[in-house]
Amino acid sequence: MIRPSAVALAALLSSGAAAQTPTLTVYTYDSFVADWGPGPALETAFEETCGCDLVLVAAGDGAALLSRVRLEGARTRADVVVGLDTTLTAEAAATGLFAPHGLTPPPLDLPGAWDDPLFLPYDWGYFAFVHDTTRLAEAPDSFEALVAAPDDLRIVIQDPRSSTPGLGLLMWVKAAYGADAPRIWAGLAPKILTVTKGWSEAYGLFLDGEADMVLSYTTSPAYHLIAEDDATKSAAAFSEGHYMQIEVSGLIAGSEQAALGQSFLDFLLSDRAQAVLPTTNWMYPARTPEAGLPAGFETLITPERALLLPAETVPGLKAEALAEWRAALSQ
Amino acid sequence: MARGALAISAVFGAAKPATFVGVAVLSVVLGLLTTALLALLIRAPGLSALTPGDWAAVRFTLLQATLSAFFSVALAVPLARALVRRRFPGRGLALTLLGAPFLLPVLVAVLGLLAVWGRAGLANNGLAARGLPRVEPYGLGGIVMAHVFFNLPLATRLLLQGWARVPAAHLRLALQLDFGPAATFRWIERPVLAAVLPGAFLLVFLLAMSSFAVVLTLGGGPSATTIELAIYEALRFDFDLGRAVQLALLQIGLGLGIALLLLSGGVAQPVGGVPAAVSQWPGDRAGLRLLDGAVLTVAALFLAAPLVLVVQRGVAGLAAGLPPGLWSALFTSLWIALAAAALTALGGLGLAQWIVRLGPRAARMAESVGLLLLAASPFVLGTGLFVALSRVADPFALALPLTAVLNALLALPFTLRLLVPPLDEVERRFGPLADSLSMRGVDRFRRVTLPVLARPLGFAMGLTAALSAGDLGSIALFAPPGVETLPLYMYRLMGAYRLDAAEGAALVLLCLALALFAVFDRVGSRVSRA
C-alpha cells in the first residue's frame, strides 16, 4: 500500500467535513459493473474501509467512456474513470480533464515500465485471435500465415471506430508491420467475414460457429476453462508478437473527492482488488496477487514479444491506420 | 378538477382547444429536436467539412434503404393477398405473430437470422449436404435480407389494413359480375395498392435508413457504412460533434425529401383492422390457391425459422439459469414501455385531433414533421438531450423518463400514420352530427371517436410498448448506476462471454415485447367492438 495512513486520514477528514457519508462516483465500462464483473466485489471491499458510498456508473465500452467524459466536460459528475486503455490515454490526457494521480505505484507485473503521471494500470492483456480447437486444429501462427491460410478460413473482427479491441488490432498490425501494414490488411480482407460494432457481437458470432477465429484476448480461453470447464478454446500465438491492452484508471481534475479518488486508485492495486480481477474481468492483474494467478491461467499462451506503441504516438497513427484499414477493406 | 376536465376536453373535443393542444405537442416535439441539435452545436468547436467517406455513406444509405424498402413492399403484396384471400387454421395466430420480427430486438434477430442463413446455419448446412457452395449473408445482400425480415411483416400488415377498407359491397358486386383476376386487380386491388404502397415504402425506407446494428453486424466492412454509422463514429470516435450534427441534418433532409416526394400525391392513407378472411374472393382460380399456398409456406419459413431458433436457444439458456438482475431489468423495461405507450398515445391523439382540422396541405406538413422524427438519428437525439439536460438537472434522475420520452418520440410517426386517417373519417362522417347535438369533450370522444379509433390506437400503443421494451440505444447512453433494462442486461451478458444466458434473456425480452403488443392490440380491438 502506498501511503495508507495519509490517504485514510484525508478520506476521513473529507468525510468528517461533509458531516455525511461522501460519495465517490466512478465512471467505467459496462462489463465492469455487471453482477458477474469485478464491480460488486470491489465495491464491497472498498466500502468496508473508505467510509464512503462507491457509485459505479457504466458508460458503454472504453471508447464510449472517454466520449462520455468529454461530453460532460468540466461539469462531469465523475471523480474517477476506470477502464481507458493505452490507445486512449493520450487523447484523454489532451482533454485536460484528468489530474495527476500523485501516487508512487508499487512494482507492477507488466511487460515494460510504467511512468504515466495521469493514469495507473489495474489490469492488462494481449490481443489474440481465439479459435475452437475442435473446429480448427491447426491455427495460423502469424499474420502472414493467416493471410496465406486456406480460402475458407474466416475471422471476425471489431470496428476500430466503435470498439477498443478493433482499435487494438489496428495498432497491432501497425506495430508489427509499420509501413507494410496496408499489405497485411489487403491480405486479411478476404478472410474477414464481417466487422462488428463491439466485442460482444463478434464473440457471439464466433461462439455460434460463424467464424473460425475471433479477435479477442489471450486470456479468453481462461473463461471457458474456469467458468465452463471447456478446454476447447485456444488463442493462436503469433510470431510477430502480440499487442498489449493496458487498462488504466485516472482522477478527474477538480473532483471534490480527490483524496477519496486517490485512495480508490490505490485500492485497485491492492492485493484484494487484484485477486478479484482475473476471474471477473478475465485479464491479467497489474500486480500478481500473493496467492498467484487462478488455476487455469497457466494454460494460456505467453507471447514471446509484447508489442505496445508509445501512448503519445497513438493519436497521430490512428488516422493513418484507419485510412489504410478502410481502403483495404473497401475493395 | 376543473382544469383536468378542461385538459381532457382539449384533447378530445372542441375545435379551439384541439388547435392549442396540437400546437403544444408539435412545439414540444420540435423543441426537443432543436434542443438536441443546438446542445451539440454549442459544444462543437467548429464545423468541419464532410469527408468523401461521408458522401460514400450517404450513397450507400440511399442504396440499401431503397433496396430494403423495394423488396419488403414488393414481397408484402403477394403475402398480404394470400392472407386476405385464404382461410386456414391458425390464421389469427399467424397475424399476431406477423408482428414478431418487427418487435424483435435487433441483436436477437440478427443471431436468429444467422442461425438460419449464416455460414454454420441451417440453410448452408443443407446446401453443403447437397455439395453446393455455401452462401455468406454479409454485405449488401445480408443487410437487405435482414431489413426485409424486419419490415416485410410491417408492410404486409399495412397492406392488410388497406384491404380491410375495401367495402364488402364492392367485393359482392365483383363476385356477381364474375370478375377474373385481371378485373379484380384493376378495380379492387389496384386502388388499395396505390393508396397504401407509397406510405409503406416510405416507412420501410426511413426505418432502413436509420438502421444501425444490422448494418454494422452484417455489413461486412467499412464499405457498408451508413449515415447513422458515420454519426456514431463522429460522436464516439472522433468526438466531432459538429460533423455529427451536420450528418444528422443531412439524414433528416433526405428523409423529409423522400417523404414529400412520395406523399405529394396526397394519397389517402387507409387504415382499419386486419380483415377477416373473406369467404370468397372475386376472380379466384385453382392456380391462385396453389400460388397463395406456396407464398404462405415460403413466408412462414422465412419469418418463423429464425424465431424458432431464437426460442429454442433461449429455452436452453433459461434452463441453465440466469444471473441475478433479470427481474428488476424486466420491471424497468416494462415501466419504460408503458410510459412510452401512454405518452405516444396522448401526443399522437393531441396532434392528430389538430391535423384533421387543418387544410389538406397544412395537414401534410404537420404530419411530415412527425415523419421527420423517423429520420432523426436516435444517437444525436439522445446525446443532444443528455448534454442539454445535464446543464439544468441530474441526468441520472431523468434517465428513465427521458428514455420513455425518446421512445415515444420515435414512435410518434407510426402513431400519427395510424391515427390521422380514421380520425379524419370520423370527423367527416359524424362530426357535423355530433356538432349539431353539441356533443363535446369526453362524451363525444367516448361515443363517436373511440369506437373507430380504439383499434389503431391499441395497435400504435402496442407497437410503441414493444419497441420501447426492446430498445437498447437511448438507455445505453446514460443508464444511471444500478439500473438496467432488459436489452441492456442481455447486452451485458453477451459482453461477458455469457452467450447462453444472453440467449435466455433474449427469449424473455421477446416474450415481453410480444405480450405487450398483443395485450394493447387485443384491448384495442375489443373496445372497438364493444
Side-chain angles (χ1 to χ4, degrees):
Chain A
M1 303 296 288
I2 303 155
R3 290 174 299 176
S5 54
V7 167
L9 192 67
L12 215 75
L13 284 176
S14 71
S15 71
Q20 62 183 31
T21 318
T23 301
L24 184 70
T25 306
V26 177
Y27 280 14
T28 183
Y29 45 75
D30 268 354
S31 57
F32 201 88
V33 304
D35 279 307
W36 45 86
L42 295 182
E43 186 176 340
T44 310
F46 186 64
E47 284 179 351
E48 274 173 20
T49 55
C50 74
C52 70
D53 182 17
L54 180 70
V55 177
L56 293 170
V57 177
D61 69 353
L65 181 60
L66 180 58
S67 285
R68 168 78 169 266
V69 175
R70 292 177 77 175
L71 209 53
E72 295 181 3
R75 305 168 54 94
T76 183
R77 302 163 62 84
D79 300 303
V80 172
V81 174
V82 170
L84 303 177
D85 75 2
T86 33
T87 55
L88 295 169
T89 47
E91 248 176 273
T95 63
L97 293 169
F98 290 87
H101 52 70
L103 297 168
T104 313
L108 299 175
D109 296 302
L110 290 175
W114 187 266
D115 56 0
D116 191 316
L118 292 183
F119 300 102
L120 272 182
Y122 59 93
D123 67 17
W124 63 282
Y126 295 107
F127 292 115
F129 285 95
V130 172
H131 63 279
D132 185 325
T133 49
T134 58
R135 283 191 275 137
L136 185 70
E138 291 280 311
D141 60 359
S142 65
F143 279 111
E144 300 275 8
L146 183 53
V147 167
D151 280 344
D152 62 345
L153 188 139
R154 288 288 179 278
I155 61 173
V156 54
I157 63 169
Q158 298 84 358
D159 196 314
R161 297 168 293 178
S162 54
S163 118
T164 43
L167 186 54
L169 179 61
L170 229 55
M171 293 300 130
W172 186 2
V173 175
K174 204 76 196 156
Y177 285 93
D180 215 14
R183 180 178 64 83
I184 294 297
W185 278 115
L188 288 179
K191 298 284 185 294
I192 296 171
L193 180 73
T194 191
V195 181
T196 64
K197 170 169 164 266
W199 179 91
S200 314
E201 294 91 339
Y203 212 81
L205 287 179
F206 163 68
L207 289 181
D208 274 344
E210 278 296 295
D212 302 298
M213 301 179 93
V214 60
L215 176 65
S216 189
Y217 299 91
T218 58
T219 40
S220 298
Y223 169 79
H224 298 284
L225 186 66
I226 296 170
E228 296 178 338
D229 206 17
D230 167 11
T232 62
K233 307 292 185 291
S234 179
F238 274 20
S239 58
E240 294 96 339
H242 288 246
Y243 199 77
M244 288 172 65
Q245 180 177 41
I246 302 176
E247 298 196 292
V248 302
S249 50
L251 297 174
I252 293 290
S255 154
E256 285 170 17
Q257 303 293 345
L260 200 53
Q262 203 178 33
S263 71
F264 183 68
L265 258 52
D266 185 27
F267 162 79
L268 273 182
L269 283 170
S270 69
D271 210 60
R272 183 156 178 199
Q274 289 288 304
V276 168
L277 291 169
T279 53
T280 50
N281 226 23
W282 302 100
M283 297 284 269
Y284 287 109
R287 265 184 69 216
T288 310
E290 269 170 40
L293 291 171
F297 268 65
E298 75 286 352
T299 63
L300 303 176
I301 60 158
T302 359
E304 286 168 18
R305 286 178 62 201
L307 303 176
L308 185 65
L309 294 166
E312 61 277 10
T313 64
V314 171
L317 281 173
K318 201 160 83 172
E320 180 191 317
L322 190 66
E324 290 168 2
W325 174 82
R326 199 197 285 255
L329 268 63
S330 296
Q331 295 303 310
Chain B
M1 197 57 214
R3 277 182 60 196
L6 191 68
I8 289 169
S9 79
V11 176
F12 303 131
K16 284 242 171 88
T19 309
F20 174 73
V21 172
V23 172
V25 172
L26 195 63
S27 314
V28 169
V29 168
L30 287 176
L32 287 172
L33 197 61
T34 351
T35 308
L37 293 173
L38 281 180
L40 291 183
L41 272 183
I42 288 170
R43 295 273 283 117
L47 292 183
S48 45
L50 295 180
T51 63
D54 292 333
W55 291 110
V58 170
R59 283 194 299 275
F60 184 78
T61 305
L62 291 177
L63 175 68
Q64 65 88 3
T66 306
L67 289 176
S68 301
F70 174 77
F71 282 109
S72 300
V73 170
L75 295 172
V77 173
L79 180 56
R81 276 167 64 163
L83 278 169
V84 83
R85 285 198 291 228
R86 305 299 155 204
R87 278 191 292 188
F88 54 91
R91 184 177 173 274
L93 184 68
L95 286 173
T96 300
L97 285 179
L98 206 51
F102 187 69
L103 306 173
L104 264 186
V106 179
L107 214 51
V108 181
V110 169
L111 286 179
L113 278 172
L114 286 176
V116 178
W117 300 103
R119 279 179 83 227
L122 286 180
N124 261 325
N125 288 341
L127 285 178
R130 281 161 191 74
L132 295 166
R134 290 171 182 267
V135 292
E136 291 189 356
Y138 300 93
L140 186 60
I143 293 173
V144 171
M145 183 186 73
H147 285 160
V148 169
F149 173 78
F150 281 115
N151 296 313
L152 170 63
L154 182 75
T156 306
R157 188 91 196 223
L158 287 173
L159 288 185
L160 285 174
Q161 290 177 348
W163 255 294
R165 279 181 86 232
V166 175
H170 290 190
L171 292 178
R172 275 198 302 275
L173 187 64
L175 276 173
Q176 280 164 10
L177 295 176
D178 199 19
F179 275 12
T184 307
F185 178 77
R186 179 159 177 213
W187 297 106
I188 306 278
E189 294 175 331
R190 203 176 61 178
V192 171
L193 293 177
V196 191
L197 285 185
F201 184 93
L202 175 64
L203 197 56
V204 180
F205 182 93
L206 292 177
L207 287 168
M209 184 163 89
S210 57
S211 146
F212 173 72
V214 164
V215 178
L216 201 41
T217 310
L218 296 178
S223 54
T225 296
T226 57
I227 304 178
E228 191 69 16
L229 182 52
I231 291 175
Y232 181 83
E233 181 195 346
L235 278 178
R236 294 249 161 142
F237 188 76
D238 303 328
F239 199 68
D240 190 341
L241 302 181
R243 209 173 112 232
V245 173
Q246 287 180 69
L247 285 166
L249 286 174
L250 191 61
Q251 178 153 307
I252 290 174
L254 283 175
L256 205 58
I258 304 275
L260 291 176
L261 197 72
L262 281 173
L263 300 181
S264 59
V267 287
Q269 287 298 313
V271 159
V274 172
V278 286
S279 52
Q280 208 185 347
W281 190 258
D284 205 1
R285 301 283 184 276
L288 284 184
R289 270 193 286 278
L290 273 177
L291 178 71
D292 284 351
V295 166
L296 287 171
T297 312
V298 171
L301 281 176
F302 175 65
L303 296 174
L307 285 174
V308 169
L309 289 176
V310 164
V311 171
Q312 185 199 341
R313 291 173 179 205
V315 168
L318 282 181
L322 287 181
L326 175 71
W327 293 110
S328 73
L330 183 69
F331 183 75
T332 308
S333 285
L334 186 63
W335 189 105
I336 290 176
L338 294 177
L343 280 173
T344 204
L346 286 178
L349 274 175
L351 217 46
Q353 293 267 5
W354 176 54
I355 287 175
V356 297
R357 286 176 171 76
L358 294 171
R361 177 174 289 179
R364 214 175 306 136
M365 288 301 288
E367 214 185 328
S368 299
V369 172
L371 278 173
L372 180 151
L373 285 171
L374 263 190
S377 159
F379 282 122
V380 165
L381 212 53
T383 313
L385 288 178
F386 178 75
V387 170
L389 271 177
S390 61
R391 302 192 81 82
V392 292
D394 177 3
F396 291 151
L398 292 172
L400 290 186
L402 189 61
T403 303
V405 169
L406 271 177
N407 280 314
L409 269 184
L410 296 175
L412 196 57
F414 299 103
T415 311
L416 283 182
R417 205 98 282 253
L418 288 161
L419 294 187
V420 168
L423 193 61
D424 196 31
E425 201 171 299
V426 170
E427 285 301 320
R428 268 192 283 120
R429 274 215 231 155
F430 305 114
L433 180 65
D435 283 343
S436 72
L437 288 170
S438 304
M439 214 188 220
R440 309 173 73 150
V442 177
D443 212 33
R444 174 164 172 163
F445 180 75
R446 227 186 60 210
R447 289 174 193 279
V448 181
T449 316
L450 191 62
V452 181
L453 227 54
R455 192 173 259 206
L457 190 61
F459 185 72
M461 289 178 78
L463 206 59
T464 310
L467 289 178
S468 309
D471 173 57
L472 173 67
S474 11
I475 190 75
L477 289 171
F478 33 64
V483 175
E484 267 179 342
T485 60
L486 205 44
L488 196 55
Y489 172 77
M490 183 190 100
Y491 195 71
R492 286 177 178 172
L493 281 170
M494 271 188 84
Y497 296 98
R498 288 162 175 77
L499 189 63
D500 296 342
E503 282 169 340
L507 178 59
V508 177
L509 182 53
L510 176 64
C511 294
L512 174 69
L514 283 183
L516 281 168
F517 176 74
V519 166
F520 277 110
D521 199 32
R522 288 283 154 86
V523 169
S525 304
R526 185 156 301 170
V527 170
S528 83
R529 273 201 299 273

